[in-house]
Amino acid sequence: MSSALHRKNASLRPQALVHGGGVSDSLTLTPIGFIRTGKQVKFQARHQPVDGAEECNVLELLPGVNFDQALQDVAGFDRVWLLWWFHRNETWRPLVLPPRGPSRRRGVFATRSPHRPNPLGMTPVRLLGVEGRRLLLGACDLVEGTPVFDVKPYVPAYDAFPEAKAGWIDEVDALVNAPPRFTVNFASLAEEQAEWLRVEHQVDFTARLQELLSRDPTPHRTRRIRKRPSGGFEIGCGAWRATFTVTAEIVTVTALETGYPLRFLIREGYEAVPDREAQLAFLTRWPETAPE
Ligand SMILES: C[S@@+](CC[C@H](N)C(=O)[O-])C[C@H]1O[C@@H](n2cnc3c(N)ncnc32)[C@H](O)[C@@H]1O
């Protein structure tokens, strides 16, 4: 646990809110603990927890403040809510671009985006066990070391309304569940690279590329698709990238690339970059694909 982090509070950045009445009503929150998820970078964390994913994350509550007592009776619940701090974000935006669906910004209060005026996250997680001050938790969407402010029981009778409308998210779900519009092919170089990564390094992101590109290959910031100045497009996929072209309704993945340039991969402090060894080996094998 970082004590510097513990001392930090979650108050807003000056640009975050303007109070009308001159009275600034604020609340200083202190984390009750920090979660261990092993996900060092944001793209490794899920957008929302997915049930059935085999994961065990550990929330360690702080010692010396009777939190073990506060956890009494919690073990009987299947799920708990975590209320937590998007502590890796600095700013907020009134309009945000959700990762799913068409490239269209939505009001932040109509989304679960991390870029909020009060950077608070809420996640219902499966409770696997309670050991002293440690909560063993199932799948969640928090990165390693995220400060947690509160734990509350998930009570289906209060918290679940499966028939409730979900606005633009229902519309996006309908689009996502429609048959894909684009056919995705791999050119021979991309095919060879994918096979090499699969066999030599057990890295395979081709299914994810298929899924994303067959639905909508148009540029999109949070889906990490952009037009390349040199022609064609690229998409970021975890720690990797792929270049592709689009002709009518056919997407051709032309090559794979590492997401990180060599100078980062060999720099001290970057040891935890996902697939680092595989990326270094890839750059030795295909040095011409190195990103700037
Ligand atoms: C879309 S948000 C949803 C969070 C929460 N379930 C909610 O609805 O409030 C989940 C994303 O937040 C990001 N994230 C996770 N932990 C974070 C942290 N400590 N600081 C900033 N961003 C974080 C990750 O990119 C993750 O995919």
Side-chain angles (χ1 to χ4, degrees), residues 25-271:
D25 296 322
S26 65
L27 168 69
T28 300
L29 298 176
T30 304
I32 58 168
F34 297 84
I35 196 160
R36 300 278 157 247
T37 64
K39 297 184 178 92
Q40 306 292 345
V41 287
K42 284 196 258 175
F43 71 69
Q44 288 179 304
R46 301 166 193 285
H47 293 304
Q48 295 291 338
V50 178
D51 244 6
E54 290 208 7
E55 260 181 49
C56 182
N57 303 295
V58 179
L59 170 59
E60 294 176 350
L61 299 190
L62 299 177
V65 259
N66 284 340
F67 286 153
D68 32 1
Q69 239 184 327
L71 285 177
Q72 192 175 299
D73 305 310
V74 168
F77 291 85
D78 265 355
R79 285 169 190 274
V80 289
W81 284 103
L82 301 183
L83 303 178
W84 50 279
W85 180 3
F86 291 111
H87 74 305
R88 299 238 189 125
N89 284 359
E90 299 270 302
T91 54
W92 75 282
R93 290 194 277 273
L95 292 177
V96 295
L97 185 62
R100 296 191 321 142
S103 186
R104 185 167 155 201
R105 288 176 197 283
R106 313 275 176 180
V108 70
F109 295 140
T111 75
R112 296 300 193 91
S113 164
H115 302 282
R116 325 187 70 79
N118 287 314
L120 296 174
M122 50 188 278
T123 303
V125 280
R126 194 174 280 284
L127 179 63
L128 306 176
V130 180
E131 292 176 352
R133 280 180 288 103
R134 284 156 44 96
L135 293 175
L136 309 183
L137 304 169
C140 72
D141 51 4
L142 290 71
V143 297
E144 174 72 16
T146 296
V148 174
F149 293 124
D150 205 357
V151 173
K152 298 190 188 198
Y154 174 88
V155 184
Y158 309 158
D159 296 341
F161 303 92
E163 304 306 322
K165 280 198 292 181
W168 64 269
I169 294 178
D170 282 341
E171 290 162 26
V172 167
D173 281 347
L175 277 178
V176 167
N177 293 331
R181 270 184 44 220
F182 294 84
T183 304
V184 180
N185 296 325
F186 283 73
S188 56
L189 173 61
E191 191 75 73
E192 182 193 344
Q193 292 170 320
E195 174 72 4
W196 182 85
L197 276 175
R198 217 172 3 248
V199 172
E200 302 291 331
H201 295 278
Q202 295 72 56
V203 169
D204 190 356
F205 54 99
T206 51
R208 183 84 184 124
L209 283 179
Q210 277 277 358
E211 183 195 322
L212 289 168
L213 295 176
S214 63
R215 301 218 163 267
D216 187 359
T218 52
H220 189 287
R221 193 170 53 82
T222 42
R223 276 203 295 274
R224 299 167 63 199
I225 300 177
R226 65 183 186 102
K227 210 168 179 354
R228 288 198 146 188
S230 51
F233 301 89
E234 67 177 41
I235 178 169
C237 201
W240 299 87
R241 278 195 214 159
T243 54
F244 64 93
T245 57
V246 184
T247 314
E249 304 217 316
I250 309 249
V251 174
T252 305
V253 177
T254 44
L256 307 186
E257 296 180 350
T258 61
Y260 291 83
L262 186 61
R263 65 178 188 283
F264 284 123
L265 293 170
I266 56 177
R267 193 181 283 179
E268 208 179 313
Y270 279 72
E271 294 80 3

